[in-house]
C-alpha cells in the first residue's frame, strides 16, 4: 500500500531529529469504495481543510497522524467524495500511540472507529444521535401535518439535546465533552453551559473552542436585555454610510432584524414582521434590517422582491459581518428589540405572537 505524504514527512522528521514522535495510526477498510479511489484526512474548522490523502488498495487505506495537541483537540475526519454533493466521512479521535481501525462506508450507520477508549465512547454517542435523527426523519416523512406531529418532532429533538447535555457533562475531562460544550452552546441551556464552564478541568482553558465560547458569552452579556446597544455603521443600499443608532432614535421601539436574501427562515418570517410593522408603526414602532449578504445584487433584489418598507444596511461581508461579533450572532434570523434611548429590551424573540406581546408592552 502506498504511504501517504503525511506518513513520509513524519518518517523524515523522525530521522532528522533523532527521536520518535508519538503517532496515531488509522487503518481503514472501505466496503463500498473502489480501489484507486482517494481517501482524505480532513480537519473541520470553519469548513473543511485537507491535511493529507491516500489511495484505496485492496479495499484498505492507512494514515499515520502526529499525536500533537493540535490534532488531538481538532475535529479530524477521514472521508471520500463521490461528487460535490455526495460524500462519506467518519470522525477520528486522535490518541497517542493508538492503532485505530476505521470503517468508511456510504452507509453512515456503519461508519465506525475502534481501537481506543475515546473512539469507543464517540461510537456510543454517534449511535444515539443517529437513533434520534432517524426517529425525527420518520415522522417528517409522514403526510400528517398536524400540530401533534410537530409536537412529537419537538419532543424528540428536546430529548436528543438533553442526552447531548448529559453526555457532555459526563465527559468534561476529555475532548468529546469540551467539544460539545463549546460547539453546542447555542442549543444547550445557558445555565447548563455556565455550569460546565465552571467545572471544566483547567487543561481546557487554552482549548480554542472554550476560549471562543467564553469570549462570545462575554460579548453576549454586554448586549443582553437591559444593556445599551453597541452601535455600528454600514452602507445602505445606495452606498451611503448609516448607523444603527440613527434609526433607533426615530422610533419609540425598534426591531433590529438580522437577515439575508439567501436565508429561507428569514424570508419566511418577514410577512409576520411586515404585519406588525403596519399595525404599530403609527404608535412609534419601527424596523431596521441588517443583512448578512455578501452580494449587493442579491441583497437589493430581495429588498425589492419582498417589498421591505423599512431601512436597510449591510457591509456585504456575509458571516464576517461586523454585527456578528458585536452581538455574538451564530444563526439568522436574529432580532433585537430596542427602545428609543438605545436600551435592548429583548434579544432574539422567538415567534410572532411573543414579539407582538413585547411590542404592546412597550408601546402602552
Amino acid at each position: 500500500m502506498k504511504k501517504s505524504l503525511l506518513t513520509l514527512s513524519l518518517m523524515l522528521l523522525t530521522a532528522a531529529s533523532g527521536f520518535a514522535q508519538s503517532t496515531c495510526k488509522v487503518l481503514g477498510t472501505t466496503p463500498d469504495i473502489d480501489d484507486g479511489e482517494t481517501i482524505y484526512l480532513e480537519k473541520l474548522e470553519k469548513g473543511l481543510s485537507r491535511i493529507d490523502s491516500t489511495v484505496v488498495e485492496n479495499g484498505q487505506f492507512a494514515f499515520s497522524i502526529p499525536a500533537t495537541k493540535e490534532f488531538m483537540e481538532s475535529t479530524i475526519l477521514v472521508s471520500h467524495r463521490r461528487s460535490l454533493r455526495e460524500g462519506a466521512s467518519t470522525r477520528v479521535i486522535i490518541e497517542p500511540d493508538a492503532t485505530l481501525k476505521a470503517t468508511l462506508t456510504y452507509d453512515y450507520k456503519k461508519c465506525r472507529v475502534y481501537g481506543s477508549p475515546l473512539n469507543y465512547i464517540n461510537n456510543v454517542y454517534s449511535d444515539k444521535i443517529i437513533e434520534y435523527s432517524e426517529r425525527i426523519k420518520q415522522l417528517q416523512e409522514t403526510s400528517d401535518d398536524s400540530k401533534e406531529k410537530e409536537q412529537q418532532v419537538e419532543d424528540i429533538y428536546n430529548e436528543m439535546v438533553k442526552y447531548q447535555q448529559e453526555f457532555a457533562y459526563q465527559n468534561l475531562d476529555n475532548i468529546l465533552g469540551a467539544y460539545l460544550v463549546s460547539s453546542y452552546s447555542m442549543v444547550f441551556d445557558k445555565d447548563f453551559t455556565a455550569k460546565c464552564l465552571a467545572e471544566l478541568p483547567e487543561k481546557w482553558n487554552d482549548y480554542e473552542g472554550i476560549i471562543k465560547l467564553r469570549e462570545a458569552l462575554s460579548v453576549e452579556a454586554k448586549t443582553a436585555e437591559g444593556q445599551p446597544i453597541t452601535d455600528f455603521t454600514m452602507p445602505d443600499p445606495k452606498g451611503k454610510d448609516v448607523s444603527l443608532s440613527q434609526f433607533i432614535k426615530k422610533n419609540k421601539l425598534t426591531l433590529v432584524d438580522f437577515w439575508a436574501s439567501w436565508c429561507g427562515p428569514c424570508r419566511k418570517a418577514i410577512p409576520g414582521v411586515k404585519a406588525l410593522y403596519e399595525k404599530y408603526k403609527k404608535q412609534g414602532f419601527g424596523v431596521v434590517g441588517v443583512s448578512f449578504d455578501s452580494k449587493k445584487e442579491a441583497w437589493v433584489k430581495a429588498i425589492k422582491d419582498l417589498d421591505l418598507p423599512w431601512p436597510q444596511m449591510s457591509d456585504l461581508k456575509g458571516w464576517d459581518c461586523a454585527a456578528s461579533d458585536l452581538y455574538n450572532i451564530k444563526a439568522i434570523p436574529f432580532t433585537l428589540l430596542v427602545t428609543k434611548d438605545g436600551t435592548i429590551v429583548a434579544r432574539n424573540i422567538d415567534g410572532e405572537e411573543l414579539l407582538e406581546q413585547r411590542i404592546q408592552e412597550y408601546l402602552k
Side-chain angles (χ1 to χ4, degrees), residues 178-323:
Y179 170 79
L180 282 174
V181 171
S182 62
S183 300
Y184 287 77
S185 62
M186 294 292 292
V187 177
F188 289 171
D189 178 79
K190 289 185 178 181
D191 290 339
F192 170 79
T193 299
K195 178 181 179 181
C196 288
L197 287 175
E199 297 183 22
L200 270 175
E202 290 186 5
K203 66 180 179 180
W204 299 121
N205 286 343
D206 62 351
Y207 173 48
E208 185 176 3
I210 295 300
I211 292 173
K212 288 182 177 179
L213 173 59
R214 284 180 168 140
E215 290 174 348
L217 292 178
S218 175
V219 169
E220 193 168 309
K222 294 176 182 177
T223 57
E225 293 184 20
Q227 298 296 317
I229 63 162
T230 300
D231 201 12
F232 54 81
T233 299
M234 295 179 182
D236 67 10
K238 294 183 179 180
K240 179 183 177 181
D241 283 344
V242 292
S243 66
L244 179 63
S245 59
Q246 76 182 66
F247 297 119
I248 288 172
K249 291 176 182 177
K250 295 178 180 179
N251 308 305
K252 290 182 180 178
L253 188 68
T254 302
L255 180 74
V256 186
D257 181 26
F258 299 89
W259 72 292
S261 65
W262 45 261
C263 170
C266 300
R267 298 179 76 118
K268 185 177 180 181
I270 283 173
V273 176
K274 286 176 72 174
L276 292 174
Y277 174 74
E278 293 298 330
K279 185 175 181 179
Y280 293 101
K281 65 180 181 180
K282 291 183 179 179
Q283 298 178 46
F285 176 63
V287 181
V288 56
V290 182
S291 172
F292 277 53
D293 275 285
S294 57
K295 297 180 180 179
K296 185 172 182 179
E297 297 80 6
W299 174 42
V300 173
K301 183 177 184 300
I303 294 171
K304 182 179 179 181
D305 291 346
L306 295 169
D307 191 26
L308 301 181
W310 47 78
Q312 298 285 336
M313 55 198 300
S314 177
D315 57 12
L316 297 174
K317 293 181 179 180
W319 279 110
D320 290 325
C321 173

Side-chain angles (χ1 to χ4, degrees), residues 76-188:
I76 303 297
L77 306 173
V78 289
S79 63
H80 176 263
R81 297 282 182 272
R82 283 179 178 165
S83 66
L84 289 175
R85 294 179 178 272
E86 188 179 14
S89 66
T90 188
R91 183 178 181 182
V92 178
I93 312 298
I94 306 303
E95 296 188 66
D97 301 319
T99 298
L100 307 177
K101 294 184 178 181
T103 301
L104 182 63
T105 169
Y106 277 77
D107 183 351
Y108 68 92
K109 297 178 185 178
K110 295 181 180 179
C111 284
R112 291 291 181 274
V113 179
Y114 295 103
S116 76
L118 286 184
N119 281 283
Y120 173 79
I121 294 171
N122 189 51
N123 288 337
V124 173
Y125 171 78
S126 298
D127 286 343
K128 196 67 176 178
I129 297 303
I130 288 172
E131 177 189 320
Y132 285 121
S133 300
E134 287 293 310
R135 288 168 60 192
I136 291 173
K137 182 180 178 182
Q138 288 172 7
L139 276 172
Q140 291 177 330
E141 288 176 346
T142 64
S143 57
D144 180 16
D145 292 326
S146 66
K147 289 187 176 181
E148 181 181 354
K149 171 186 169 180
E150 290 181 8
Q151 186 61 53
Q152 287 177 323
V153 170
E154 184 177 344
D155 289 346
I156 296 171
Y157 175 78
N158 290 337
E159 186 181 335
M160 179 175 69
V161 172
K162 182 181 178 182
Y163 168 76
Q164 289 178 302
Q165 290 188 167
E166 291 173 349
F167 180 90
Y169 189 72
Q170 292 167 359
N171 289 276
L172 291 180
D173 63 335
N174 65 60
I175 186 60
L176 296 174
Y179 170 79
L180 282 174
V181 171
S182 62
S183 300
Y184 287 77
S185 62
M186 294 292 292
V187 177
F188 289 171

